[in-house]
Amino acid sequence: MPRFAFPPNLNAAMHSMRFVLILLVGCCCATSQGSDSLETVFQETVQPFLQQNCLQCHDDQSAEGDLDLSADRNIEDVVKRFRHWSVVLDRLEIGDMPPEDSDVQPTTEQRDAVIAWIESLKEAEAKRTSGDPGLVLARRLSSSEYDRTIRDLTGVDIRPAADFPIDPANEAGFDNSGESLTMSPALLKKYLQAARRVAEHMAITPSGLAFSPHPVITPTDRDKFCVNRIIDFYREQNTEISDHLFVGWKHQQSPAGGSLDDLATQHGVSAKYCHTLSNLLTDSAEKSDPATIGPIVALRTMWNEVTQTTETETEAKQHCEDIAKFIESLRQSLIPDVPNLTAPDMNPGSQSLVLWKNRQFVANRRRFAQDQLPPLPDLMKTFDPSRFKIPAEEAVIACMLVPESEEDQATFAEELNRFCDVFPDQFLISERARVYLDPKKEKKLKGRFLSAGFHSQMGYFRDDAPLCDLMLTDAQRATLDRLWLELDFVASAPMRQYSGFIWFDRTDSKFMRDRVFDRYRAEDKDCISEDKVRGLCDAYTEKAKRVGASEKALAAIRRYFDDMSKTFRSLEQIREQSEPVQLEAMLQFAERAYRRPLEPTDKDSLLAFYQYLRTEGELDHEESIRDCVVRILMSPHFCYRVDPTNSGQADPGSVFSKLSSGVQPLDSHSLANRLSYFLWSSMPDEKLMELAAEDQLQDPSVLAEQTRRMLSDARSQGFVREFMGNWLNFRRFDQHNGVDREKFPTFTDELRQAMLEEPLRLFTDVVERDGSVLDLLYADHTFVNRELAMHYGVDEKQFDSLLKASDSEDGWIELSSANEFGRGGLLPMGVFLTRNSPGLRTSPVQRGNWVVQRVLGEHVPAPPAEVPELPEDESKLGELTIREALARHREHPSCAGCHERIDSMGLVFEGYGPVGEMRDADLGGRAIDASVVVGE
């Protein structure tokens, strides 16, 4: 495994990651040397040195290595092109320029004099510009910043920049600088497409704006959005009775271990229902309850047995499950059979009849419907408690024996009613098949979430009253009510259901084939008007009565039309009342998108644009709001990053307005943006904006506190991915397709993604524990998942053992003593070894160049165009090894200088193949020689 030694003073100085961050923003030191003396030395010492030793190869004619030093006539020229002079300084300090074969070589004193002059000039410029950031260009958001900003702005990861071209990088390899992030007409069109795509994910709700993971333009997509949110809410609720019983047992065993509410929260169950069960089953409830027979007494008998004799949590969980099975089995035996409601000439799947049956199910969820069940003795024959492994079985069976006298049977029935009230037959129904057909066959039909149970008609039915009444808090119930309202509002579900009713009864049902129904058609937009609903109700009811419908059926029909009309009128009123709310939500969206408070001109402009769309554009309210969102996302206030100052605010009409001259402090919102895009590569959150509004971010202690908070947030991975990916040139490795999959079948998409993740986890680890930056080079550990561990040669049993011991939630573990597998630190990671290989062979040149440029920070010029390439396939090198082929390569005069520096840095990795696998021989069967000599 390759190791590199650095000077001891560097090892001592670069001790912590905090030191590295300080270096990024620290001040430069001062110098006492004046500009006049520097100019004199340049003319009298530096210029002659260049003339004698450099300009033969680095003038305007040759400019080898992209370096022309002939144009620099004075200090001002040098300062303007100081990046070139940084290269000169590096080469002079290393001592490889002029090259060894040069006819003329400077003396040590001459070389030291030029080095000292460059260092003095650097210090003088640092002092002169101390505190001056220079010209800070307004720049657009990079593609990754755009995606993350949209994610945090909307709450969903839409990634609309996926079709953007790859952002160009600056000279340092970073793609987040003003000189590289320009805007072209073609890219502007991409931004417009992205803005429209985001707007298509927007749903307008009674309380404002919401965003969906998918477009919500079509009715089907709106259904999917609204239904999924309700289903997600339901899935978050634990309705398992056994889990609630276990929490009650745990609290009863150790009351000092925490309140019942706290235990319920820890175990993810309803505290409200836990209290209900506790009040029902504990000794205090038993003392105040005189009942001696029935299921409640049976449950108390079982519960006392469990709480008094069970010692371990494992046994308690099993007993709680047995009791829950007893409860559920008894409850299922008490569900009455609800027959279909029918009427002559009406299809049994007609909406009014199906909804009547649904309401009967709801009415029986928490009651003992004795009038719809067999006599108690016959009913209880179908239920045998001895089938369950329950505590105190004999005592329980005694409690469940139905008495003979009518008076005692009435008491028993009342106890069953109490039992059903606490233990509903269902807490909620999220999937319902066609309820008017054979239940056994229909039960197999899944996936119709929240369905009312119609045939070939859309329609939803809410059936969650036991959940709301027994388990949810007031806040949770309000949330669920809002989600159901938004299903009606966003998806226009009742209107579409009613249209489906008219269509069904004119086609499949044939009930509305009479001429009296001709004016009521599903395709008419006014079919939901109060006049037409009332008219259809009268005509429909009159025919049903004429053909012999029962009073029960007629009542169901009238209720159907009444309920639908009330819903339509309510939604019409809500739509009218919510328009101002949605306009205000649009302005709030703009404020968050602009990442600063809106100026009055911002608000006026957006509202004027909305009115223009409504009047001149003849768009409806929703379409106008959607286009306003597109305008917001196309504004330079969103797409660009501009930093107004406290004393030089930009004209809100133009983000490119001229700021005050000179160096000015950033205003609070600009500081919030700087911090957020540095640590998250995304927009500030609500907390950061609140502090900015109060001008508290200027306080160093507050700034430090927020930095710590933001680094602990998962969004800090934005900084890790952008900084590490750009610095070490691997950010787009998940799109790397340079590997021959037939030659290297182990290189799967999963392995490629794991390779990309490994350096990010190591860097995150160093930052979180404030480790030494040298750990990136010298660490003897790394992070792997199963795919990467197998690729690195870790035994599968060993990995499983480490995974079990780590309690990892995502399958990643820290691999200690990674040097046993030739790993540890950044350098031998598969991502870099693979990224810097052509595909069918290794490339010491690319790998060495990566180390020299990306890790050591040295400048290496581009190779001359006429240099021949090595064979693409390692097995076709003939008798030469890659080392020998490179030795011949270095014989080329224009190649020797650079290759002497980079080849040794790459040859040390020859023990790793083209996809970073350990190897003893190359693809041509030749033994590997990874020995190198550095710095002789």
Side-chain angles (χ1 to χ4, degrees), residues 209-275:
L209 309 180
F211 287 84
S212 163
H214 53 80
V216 285
I217 300 300
T218 67
T220 303
D221 285 334
R222 297 184 183 204
D223 282 349
K224 177 182 175 182
F225 169 59
C226 297
V227 169
N228 282 346
R229 292 197 301 169
I230 296 174
I231 293 298
D232 288 343
F233 181 94
Y234 285 157
R235 287 172 176 166
E236 290 173 358
Q237 315 310 315
N238 185 342
T239 59
E240 293 294 331
I241 294 175
S242 60
D243 292 340
H244 289 80
L245 290 172
F246 175 72
V247 169
W249 174 87
K250 196 168 184 178
H251 180 256
Q252 197 162 338
Q253 296 301 303
S254 179
S259 68
L260 188 59
D261 288 2
D262 292 339
L263 284 173
T265 301
Q266 292 173 17
H267 289 268
V269 297
S270 167
K272 182 178 180 181
Y273 196 55
C274 284
H275 280 287

Side-chain angles (χ1 to χ4, degrees), residues 276-471:
T276 298
L277 296 182
S278 178
N279 294 335
L280 184 74
L281 300 176
T282 57
D283 291 340
S284 58
E286 187 175 357
K287 291 177 181 178
S288 63
D289 189 343
T292 58
I293 58 174
I296 303 297
V297 178
L299 287 175
R300 287 176 183 156
T301 303
M302 287 185 276
W303 186 248
N304 289 335
E305 180 77 10
V306 171
T307 56
Q308 294 172 11
T309 63
T310 306
E311 296 181 356
T312 69
E313 289 193 0
T314 301
E315 290 177 338
K317 286 182 179 179
Q318 183 59 55
H319 285 317
C320 289
E321 289 176 3
D322 293 337
I323 295 173
K325 289 177 183 177
F326 171 83
I327 293 170
E328 291 159 3
S329 179
L330 174 59
R331 189 64 186 84
Q332 290 301 308
S333 70
L334 302 178
I335 299 177
D337 179 37
V338 179
N340 290 337
L341 179 62
T342 61
D345 292 351
M346 288 182 66
N347 190 295
S350 185
Q351 289 189 18
S352 58
L353 304 181
V354 172
L355 292 175
W356 174 88
K357 188 170 185 178
N358 288 342
R359 290 194 294 272
Q360 303 312 302
F361 289 138
V362 170
N364 291 324
R365 292 275 177 243
R366 295 178 60 192
R367 76 183 186 99
F368 173 53
Q370 187 175 6
D371 56 326
Q372 301 177 41
L373 291 169
L376 276 180
D378 295 338
L379 174 66
M380 297 311 294
K381 288 177 182 178
T382 65
F383 174 76
D384 182 5
S386 63
R387 292 186 294 116
F388 305 96
K389 297 178 180 179
I390 51 179
E393 182 177 313
E394 293 183 3
V396 170
I397 293 174
C399 296
M400 294 301 295
L401 294 177
V402 180
E404 296 182 358
S405 70
E406 292 185 3
E407 181 180 352
D408 288 343
Q409 285 190 16
T411 301
F412 196 89
E414 181 60 31
E415 288 300 302
L416 287 176
N417 206 50
R418 291 178 60 205
F419 172 80
C420 292
D421 184 57
V422 177
F423 303 105
D425 60 0
Q426 295 281 350
F427 282 97
L428 64 100
I429 299 294
S430 61
E431 293 181 81
R432 180 185 280 105
R434 294 170 295 184
V435 299
Y436 60 94
L437 298 178
D438 185 351
K440 292 183 179 180
K441 292 181 179 179
E442 289 294 304
K443 193 174 182 179
K444 299 177 181 178
L445 299 178
K446 298 291 184 180
R448 298 183 61 173
F449 290 118
L450 311 184
S451 171
F454 304 140
H455 173 69
S456 68
Q457 306 160 75
M458 71 78 56
Y460 301 106
F461 184 81
R462 182 174 179 179
D463 190 349
D464 56 18
L467 174 74
C468 293
D469 296 339
L470 294 173
M471 289 192 168

Side-chain angles (χ1 to χ4, degrees), residues 751-820:
L751 178 60
R752 180 176 62 182
Q753 187 61 40
M755 286 182 173
L756 173 65
E757 188 73 16
E758 183 185 10
L760 303 177
R761 289 181 178 259
L762 178 65
F763 185 79
T764 300
D765 172 65
V766 173
V767 172
E768 287 180 346
R769 58 184 174 82
D770 193 27
S772 168
V773 70
L774 295 177
D775 286 349
L776 299 176
L777 295 177
Y778 297 147
D780 60 359
H781 69 277
T782 189
F783 295 85
V784 296
N785 65 358
R786 184 175 300 277
E787 288 81 10
L788 198 57
M790 299 304 102
H791 185 66
Y792 285 170
V794 180
D795 181 76
E796 189 165 7
K797 291 183 178 179
Q798 180 182 0
F799 176 82
D800 289 337
S801 176
L802 293 171
L803 182 63
K804 184 177 181 181
S806 69
D807 293 327
S808 170
E809 296 181 356
D810 59 2
W812 281 82
I813 63 169
E814 178 179 336
L815 183 64
S816 303
S817 302
N819 50 1
E820 296 177 11

